[in-house]
Amino acid sequence: MPLNRYDLVKAKGKDAWELKASGRVVATFATKSEATDGGQLEKAVGKEGGTARIHTEIGGVEEERTYPRSKDPRKSPG
């Protein structure tokens, strides 16, 4: 079963960051650090899990994280 996909992007015209799924905002954060530190991004993705692509301010993908880590398809077995 494919994982849900989320994107953390700089909100257009706002001083905030938005976590989006299928084009709709599921969480808003004051800063990128607020979203990525302290488990906030993992909480926002929720129990179902998924992959979160973390974008730069200008839109490029900086990194991708999978929650929970056990569902990461790139994780080596064992």
Side-chain angles (χ1 to χ4, degrees), residues 8-18 28-32:
L8 181 66
V9 296
K10 178 84 165 118
K12 292 185 181 186
K14 299 178 186 175
D15 193 22
W17 288 79
E18 297 174 332
T28 303
F29 303 93
T31 65
K32 185 185 216 180

Side-chain angles (χ1 to χ4, degrees), residues 42 50 64-76:
E42 183 173 11
E64 188 168 347
R65 298 181 184 179
T66 302
Y67 301 106
R69 291 286 294 152
S70 61
K71 290 189 176 184
D72 191 339
R74 297 170 294 182
K75 183 180 174 188
S76 59

Side-chain angles (χ1 to χ4, degrees), residues 43-59:
K43 286 178 192 174
V45 168
K47 292 180 182 179
E48 290 181 26
T51 60
R53 295 187 301 180
I54 301 166
H55 293 257
T56 64
E57 280 196 47
I58 58 172

